[in-house]
Amino acid sequence: MRIPYSKLPATGTTIFTVMSALAKEYKAVNLGQGFPDFPMNEMLIARVNEAMRAGYNQYAHMHGYMPLRETIAEKIEDLYGTQIDPETKITITPGGTYAIYTALTAVLHPGDEVIVFQPGYDSYIPNILVNGARPVLIPLQHPGYSIDWEMVRRSLTPRTRMIMLNSPHNPTGAVLRKEDIRELRSVVKGTDIFILSDEVYEHLVFDGMPHLSMLRYPDLLERSFVCFSFGKIYHCTGWKIGYCVAPPEAMNEFRKVHQYNCFSTDTPKQVALASFLKEKDQYLSLGSFVQNKRDYFLQLMKDTRFSMLASHGSYFILGSYEHFSEEPERDMALRLTREYGVATIPVSAFYQDPVDNKVLRFCFCKKDETLERAVERLSKL
Ligand code: GLN
């Protein structure tokens, strides 16, 4: 049947799926889609198995398995000094992307405006549009990708319903600084603007920088949906499990959408995570582990013509080729995959408007030998 009116007429297949499929077809080293290629923790796998054998195979509570929510609340208090009631403020979700969609759907009405920074993760804009709301695009300035708060102020209207933040930032690896928090506070003060804070790379922050989570600031948290992902913490992106933290009234709306969409999240994994998340070293050591990957990749990339930009967090780093080629990013990414056997992501895919700074996104959270193989190929360029 012909669809007479598409809700997302301009939306194609996500670039992550496109590039991963191409990588497979051309047997390329995949530094495109963000996922680790090394094995996850065996102990955590064993705990999921134990949970299944112990009979945790039916629906979990629709807001999430309570012991897991309690452990998350303990972790938040420990790391950010904020007390969170797991009963009213935490919901476990099938992944971070789902949590973001659910939060937007819970609060956006047709005609609402949402401040979104560009480049930005590719699900944000379709999530806004499908709810009949309007993305208000604010460019982050290449190559530092910091937020121009004056521009944010000028873009506010009585219809501004939400500001979307993402730190550490995908695709650039930029992180929020103290000045950003100060500016954010002054921008939202006295308004009824929500904050959607995508913090899925929470523990992947480098160079001794703190993660400036919305969870640290009660005045910001009271208007925020803060979204997290266990896949990024435990090297299991295919598990699709995460959570959202929000104040009770906002969380109540979130849960209305969630309960008739997914209803509840995978039970045995929640049971396993409830105990595994108590082992703090597992996540506290992640920053330096991934930072070493970044540093190793940076060192290897010196053998190529790419000039690498700064990355302070996430799985990602941008590489510029503007000094040696005019080729559009998408063409360059396709050609590198087909002819040189290395898949990356063109940063233009993170923009709504046609912006082409001649930068590609590389995922460095890979085995050393994967990075070596990729760079050996890239050095032929
Ligand atoms: N977050 C991952 C990335 O940016 C991919 C997620 C996805 O493929 N949907 O690569």
Side-chain angles (χ1 to χ4, degrees):
M1 197 182 100
R2 202 174 66 85
I3 306 290
Y5 181 70
S6 168
K7 293 185 83 173
L8 296 170
T11 302
T13 304
T14 168
I15 189 72
F16 307 119
T17 299
V18 171
M19 293 309 296
S20 280
L22 204 68
K24 220 174 199 163
E25 186 184 340
Y26 286 86
K27 299 195 172 32
V29 183
N30 192 354
L31 303 189
Q33 193 174 26
F35 62 88
D37 69 343
F38 41 82
M40 65 172 294
N41 190 296
E42 284 290 336
M43 228 153 54
L44 179 51
I45 295 177
R47 288 198 198 174
V48 178
N49 281 327
E50 279 160 30
M52 286 173 141
R53 294 218 167 81
Y56 289 99
N57 299 303
Q58 308 309 328
Y59 297 123
H61 189 284
M62 67 181 185
H63 304 158
Y65 180 60
M66 192 40 124
L68 175 57
R69 286 190 273 153
E70 284 165 354
T71 312
I72 291 170
E74 281 163 29
K75 172 174 179 271
I76 292 173
E77 183 159 12
D78 225 44
L79 289 181
Y80 305 119
T82 305
Q83 278 186 359
I84 297 288
D85 177 5
E87 179 66 41
T88 55
K89 295 187 180 173
I90 301 175
T91 299
I92 311 296
T93 61
T97 302
Y98 174 101
I100 294 164
Y101 172 79
T102 305
L104 295 180
T105 302
V107 299
L108 292 183
H109 289 267
D112 283 349
E113 293 174 2
V114 181
I115 304 275
V116 203
F117 299 101
Q118 297 271 280
Y121 184 52
D122 78 338
S123 78
Y124 298 163
I125 290 176
N127 284 183
I128 294 166
L129 294 173
V130 84
N131 283 295
R134 195 170 82 78
V136 175
L137 307 175
I138 305 230
L140 300 172
Q141 296 306 317
H142 169 76
Y145 297 101
S146 57
I147 296 175
D148 180 341
W149 288 101
E150 265 323 301
M151 209 183 281
V152 174
R153 274 195 190 87
R154 285 201 304 274
S155 306
L156 299 180
T157 77
R159 308 218 69 162
T160 309
R161 171 70 51 227
M162 183 181 263
I163 298 179
M164 294 185 78
L165 296 171
N166 172 214
S167 179
H169 185 251
N170 181 6
T172 67
V175 297
L176 286 179
R177 316 286 176 122
K178 286 219 169 82
E179 314 82 86
D180 295 306
I181 300 296
R182 207 170 39 237
E183 294 279 8
L184 175 63
R185 277 192 158 131
S186 93
V187 161
V188 297
K189 200 168 177 201
T191 72
D192 56 4
I193 299 173
F194 284 104
I195 296 166
L196 184 300
S197 188
D198 173 355
E199 301 187 12
V200 298
Y201 299 102
E202 174 189 23
H203 294 297
L204 288 80
V205 185
F206 316 141
D207 310 317
M209 289 173 136
H211 171 55
L212 299 187
S213 173
M214 291 305 120
L215 299 173
R216 287 178 191 265
Y217 311 104
D219 59 318
L220 294 175
L221 184 56
E222 75 182 16
R223 57 172 78 241
S224 295
F225 291 93
V226 197
C227 302
F228 297 92
S229 157
F230 287 113
K232 305 293 192 304
I233 303 184
Y234 294 125
H235 310 308
C236 52
T237 60
W239 279 22
K240 295 302 298 177
I241 181 162
Y243 58 99
C244 179
V245 182
E249 302 74 23
M251 184 50 85
N252 191 39
E253 295 304 310
F254 180 101
R255 288 171 173 177
K256 287 182 193 172
V257 178
H258 169 63
Q259 74 176 342
Y260 292 125
N261 189 4
C262 201
F263 178 68
S264 67
T265 301
D266 186 299
T267 306
K269 285 176 195 148
Q270 291 193 65
V271 174
L273 286 165
S275 63
F276 200 70
L277 193 62
K278 289 189 189 293
E279 295 174 27
K280 298 178 190 172
D281 284 350
Q282 295 286 345
Y283 55 81
L284 292 179
S285 58
L286 194 60
S288 60
F289 172 75
V290 180
Q291 178 177 326
N292 286 338
K293 296 264 170 218
R294 177 202 63 178
D295 293 344
Y296 187 51
F297 185 60
L298 271 174
Q299 185 203 321
L300 292 172
M301 285 299 278
K302 288 190 178 141
D303 288 343
T304 74
R305 299 173 74 192
F306 284 93
S307 133
M308 305 308 285
L309 307 188
S311 167
H312 302 292
S314 81
Y315 280 165
F316 311 114
I317 190 160
L318 303 187
S320 164
Y321 60 87
E322 68 175 340
H323 50 287
F324 68 83
S325 171
E326 291 278 292
E327 202 169 351
E329 288 172 6
R330 200 179 167 95
D331 296 355
M332 177 63 106
L334 294 175
R335 196 163 66 83
L336 280 185
T337 313
R338 293 185 180 125
E339 295 176 17
Y340 291 85
V342 180
T344 58
I345 303 286
V347 175
S348 51
F350 297 85
Y351 289 88
Q352 171 98 330
D353 296 329
V355 174
D356 204 307
N357 288 312
K358 317 291 176 214
V359 277
L360 299 177
R361 188 192 81 173
F362 297 86
C363 173
F364 53 75
C365 195
K366 303 284 178 184
K367 289 188 276 217
D368 287 356
E369 63 258 37
T370 306
L371 298 176
E372 288 157 12
R373 214 147 39 88
V375 173
E376 194 189 310
R377 295 173 180 199
L378 289 171
S379 61
K380 303 209 171 85
L381 182 71

